[in-house]
């Protein structure tokens, strides 16, 4: 998905560059048409149909370039809209996955804490039982020794 986004941004950059070149060419052609109109009006009708044919050709070329620029602008807008939509879907998908992972991680941490607390409590109980057992054995031994001394 990341490769697609990189390719889309590269395409957008290429389209922008092409659009800029066409706009520059378009402005150059407009300037040329204006110069030819000015030249044609200054020469009056003595030259004939030559310059007007050039002007008509240039105007057609200009309209073709304008149509190409409009198409590129439309394509660029479509590509940007698609990229934004795809990026939003991508972000939503992985945001949900990230939240799910965070919830699972918190659950695991809570379980670990509970197990650690249980283990600590069991160790305390075990030590208490050991002390009680040792105390009972000691008292039992002491009782046997006292009985043995009383029987003598």
């Amino acid at each position: 998905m990341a490769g697609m986004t990189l390719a889309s941004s590269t395409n957008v950059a290429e389209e922008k560059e092409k659009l800029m070149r066409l706009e520059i060419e378009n402005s150059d052609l407009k300037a040329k048409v204006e110069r030819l109109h000015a030249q044609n009006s200054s020469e009056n009708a003595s030259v004939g149909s030559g310059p007007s044919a050039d002007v008509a050709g240039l105007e057609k070329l200009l309209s073709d370039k304008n149509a190409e620029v409009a198409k590129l602008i439309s394509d660029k807008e479509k590509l940007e809209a698609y990229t934004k939509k795809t990026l939003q879907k991508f972000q939503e998908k992985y945001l949900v996955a990230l939240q799910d992972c965070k919830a699972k991680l918190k659950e695991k941490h809570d379980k670990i804490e509970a197990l650690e607390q249980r283990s600590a409590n069991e160790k305390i109980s075990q030590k208490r039982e050991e002390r009680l057992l040792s105390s009972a054995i000691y008292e039992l031994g002491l009782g046997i020794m006292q009985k043995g001394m009383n029987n003598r």
Side-chain angles (χ1 to χ4, degrees), residues 57-125:
L58 288 174
E59 285 177 344
K60 182 179 181 340
L61 184 62
L62 179 62
S63 67
D64 291 346
K65 293 295 180 179
N66 282 338
E68 189 176 346
V69 166
K71 183 182 181 306
L72 286 173
I73 289 172
S74 171
D75 290 347
K76 178 186 135 198
E77 289 171 354
K78 287 178 185 175
L79 186 60
E80 286 176 347
Y82 172 77
T83 304
K84 285 179 184 177
K85 185 175 98 177
T86 305
L87 180 61
Q88 184 178 7
K89 284 182 181 178
F90 178 81
Q91 287 175 335
E92 288 173 1
K93 176 182 174 183
Y94 286 100
L95 181 62
V96 168
L98 178 64
Q99 288 172 344
D100 187 40
C101 286
K102 282 183 178 180
K104 286 180 182 177
L105 183 62
K106 185 181 182 321
E107 185 179 306
K108 299 278 182 186
H109 280 296
D110 292 345
K111 188 174 183 178
I112 288 171
E113 280 184 32
L115 290 173
E116 286 175 347
Q117 184 66 33
R118 181 176 167 194
S119 175
N121 288 340
E122 286 177 0
K123 283 182 183 179
I124 291 171
S125 293

